[in-house]
Amino acid sequence: MAQSIFIFGRQAKIGLAELTSITGSAALKTIAQGQVALANLTIKDPQAYLNQLGGSVKLLKLIADFKDEKILLNTMFNQLPSQPAKLFFGISYLGPSSIHQRLKQIKQWGMQLKKLLKGRKQGARFVSSRDPLLSSVIVRKNKLLSEAGKELVVMANKPHEFYLGETLAVQDFAAYSARDYGRPARDPKRGSLPPKLAQIMLNLAQVKPGQTIYDPCCGQGTILQEALLKGVTAIGSDLDHVAITASETNLAWLIKQGHLSKPDYQLFKADASKNERKLPPLDAIVTEGSLGPPLRKPPSKAQAEKLLAESITLITSILSTKRPFLKPGGRVIICLPYYQTDQGWLDPAPTFQNKLTSLGFTATTAPLLYQREQQLIGRQIWSLKLTLD
Ligand SMILES: C[S@@+](CC[C@H](N)C(=O)[O-])C[C@H]1O[C@@H](n2cnc3c(N)ncnc32)[C@H](O)[C@@H]1O
């Protein structure tokens, strides 16, 4: 079986959890400080495979692994094709050494390879950036995924353990951006989940085409949208009729794009904490819940505890009222707010964990933290299943 390599985004632990859920295999080996996973997988359409993963930014094929760094340059050179047109090539380097050291090494390899290519009379342009991992935008804009280009990725694991890969697909940043900022009903003040995170949550729920998910706090419909894109039936409700209208508008827009074969969804207004309506059997409940009001400065610890208690109350009421509709084996993926207070971070785990047992749910893994730099509210993602499954 071929070795495929996944490079995770900034939240590498979440990328790994998602990939593990999708591949369902223990045959993943993480390298380069957890930023990369090697998988025994033969992938027919790398771009389509990567497009379903919100937590991975690149998909590569393994070219070779090494104990001796000295043969790396030659192996890289052998990967660069001879062609009449100018060759565009770039190198990314992941590993434990500093960004400065890695950039220096990349520059050196680039110069050496250009010299070797010149000897072969191959015109070439070396593409570099200020980041030792070339971004998806740079890879695409510089044609590194085209016939005329190549991105090689060096991954150092231990002092004498190197891997060389070739990039086959990069994250489709334009599609994510269109599904986020391109939607007709988008109100940043209301707080919206990034589509990548919605995709990750659905993958953690291991939902398959034809199954049904429910988001009882659907807001502008990001989770529902990503579910429809997976061929999953999406049921959404919200307390706020403005949110329902926004979801309706956004889903109609998505359907108009024409990427969905049989979009199947249902929207209604309801208080998620109550049992107002009979639901069909659910394969998963996937919801962000409410993360509280937007914050401009770190709240006091007491304030954050109050906000957290409100979020936990909502989530626990969702768990108890919707539990009867979950199919055996059904999953629940939820987010809890992770506040940066004026006295440090407030971890919701101890309080929430205590409530879970009496609600009849068990966490399937340790909670995962999704947090962008300088955000005052992170999201703690929980994967739950019924205790008696
Ligand atoms: C952070 S937003 C969810 C965002 C959504 N995941 C998205 O990407 O657009 C939280 C949503 O929960 C809804 N909400 C809060 N309390 C609720 C309740 N008790 N029942 C139903 N919806 C509720 C709010 O109206 C809001 O739309």
Side-chain angles (χ1 to χ4, degrees):
M1 214 182 275
Q3 286 266 28
S4 297
I5 303 175
F6 294 84
I7 299 183
F8 300 130
R10 253 171 261 151
Q11 326 266 342
K13 280 192 184 146
I14 295 189
L16 177 63
E18 179 189 38
L19 186 62
T20 309
S21 285
I22 281 281
T23 58
S25 100
L28 294 174
K29 174 182 167 166
T30 52
I31 57 167
Q33 298 158 304
Q35 256 255 277
V36 176
L38 295 169
N40 280 328
L41 278 178
T42 306
I43 296 173
K44 277 204 201 100
D45 183 346
Q47 191 61 59
Y49 201 93
L50 189 66
N51 287 350
Q52 61 171 338
L53 297 170
S56 292
V57 293
K58 287 186 188 177
L59 176 51
L60 328 176
K61 78 169 180 203
L62 178 69
I63 292 168
D65 50 21
F66 304 89
K67 290 209 165 34
D68 182 359
E69 200 179 339
K70 285 193 211 104
I71 47 176
L72 199 53
L73 189 73
N74 252 335
T75 316
M76 283 202 263
F77 180 56
N78 291 338
Q79 297 306 310
L80 300 177
S82 294
Q83 58 185 37
K86 194 173 194 175
L87 173 75
F88 292 77
F89 75 100
I91 303 170
S92 288
Y93 183 12
L94 294 159
S97 44
S98 71
I99 292 181
H100 174 73
Q101 275 173 319
R102 280 181 286 144
L103 284 173
K104 206 167 137 198
Q105 178 64 75
I106 289 173
K107 195 169 164 198
Q108 202 179 346
W109 281 327
M111 281 175 355
Q112 287 168 322
L113 288 170
K114 266 190 95 157
K115 209 166 154 196
L116 289 167
L117 288 164
K118 205 170 167 194
R120 207 163 75 185
K121 302 220 169 357
Q122 173 65 60
R125 201 183 131 219
F126 175 57
V127 176
S128 59
S129 93
R130 276 180 299 181
D131 189 335
L133 176 65
L134 291 177
S135 70
S136 302
V137 179
I138 289 183
V139 170
R140 271 208 192 273
K141 296 214 162 140
N142 290 283
K143 307 183 202 162
L144 299 188
L145 279 182
S146 74
E147 295 268 295
K150 196 154 291 242
E151 185 200 12
L152 296 172
V153 183
V154 178
M155 292 148 285
N157 196 32
K158 294 184 195 140
H160 296 289
E161 193 180 323
F162 293 91
Y163 298 82
L164 179 65
E166 175 188 337
T167 306
L168 301 179
V170 295
Q171 195 166 62
D172 191 348
F173 49 88
Y176 282 115
S177 169
R179 301 210 303 270
D180 196 348
Y181 308 106
R183 290 181 290 178
R186 195 176 181 279
D187 180 358
K189 277 186 244 127
R190 292 181 146 262
S192 175
L193 194 69
K196 272 184 226 175
L197 181 54
Q199 216 177 20
I200 291 170
M201 290 171 73
L202 289 159
N203 286 334
L204 292 173
Q206 300 183 338
V207 283
K208 310 273 175 311
Q211 294 190 333
T212 302
I213 64 109
Y214 176 42
D215 179 355
C217 297
C218 68
Q220 295 159 56
T222 320
I223 291 172
L224 309 177
Q225 145 192 319
E226 296 304 313
L228 292 184
L229 285 165
K230 288 175 90 60
V232 168
T233 297
I235 305 175
S237 60
D238 201 290
L239 191 57
D240 181 356
H241 74 273
V242 179
I244 294 297
T245 309
S247 280
E248 184 69 64
T249 309
N250 286 337
L251 296 184
W253 168 84
L254 182 76
I255 291 166
K256 240 183 163 177
Q257 317 285 306
H259 302 307
L260 306 170
S261 54
K262 266 204 280 166
D264 186 6
Y265 71 91
Q266 215 191 101
L267 283 166
F268 55 92
K269 183 174 172 295
D271 182 344
S273 62
K274 303 202 171 111
N275 231 344
E276 294 179 337
R277 181 187 277 245
K278 192 171 179 311
L279 295 161
L282 303 170
D283 294 286
I285 294 168
V286 181
T287 193
E288 184 182 25
S290 176
L291 298 181
L295 300 170
R296 283 210 192 85
K297 62 179 179 69
S300 67
K301 192 163 176 250
Q303 225 178 337
E305 278 169 348
K306 186 168 170 283
L307 292 170
L308 175 61
E310 282 167 16
S311 287
I312 292 184
T313 302
L314 175 61
I315 293 294
T316 49
S317 63
I318 292 174
L319 292 175
S320 63
T321 55
K322 312 301 176 261
R323 191 181 194 283
F325 303 105
L326 263 185
K327 287 183 191 171
R331 301 260 174 153
V332 179
I333 312 293
I334 51 115
C335 294
L336 290 177
Y338 198 86
Y339 291 110
Q340 177 162 39
T341 76
D342 57 4
Q343 289 170 56
W345 291 98
L346 176 63
D347 185 355
T351 321
F352 187 58
Q353 185 69 58
N354 272 342
K355 313 233 172 210
L356 268 184
T357 320
S358 56
L359 287 163
F361 284 92
T362 309
T364 56
T365 54
L368 297 156
L369 185 60
Y370 183 91
Q371 198 229 334
R372 289 179 174 167
E373 262 167 61
Q374 318 211 306
Q375 265 182 344
L376 294 176
I377 313 176
R379 293 171 172 96
Q380 193 176 58
I381 305 168
W382 287 74
S383 298
L384 312 175
K385 68 173 176 80
L386 293 167
T387 307
L388 292 175
D389 259 5

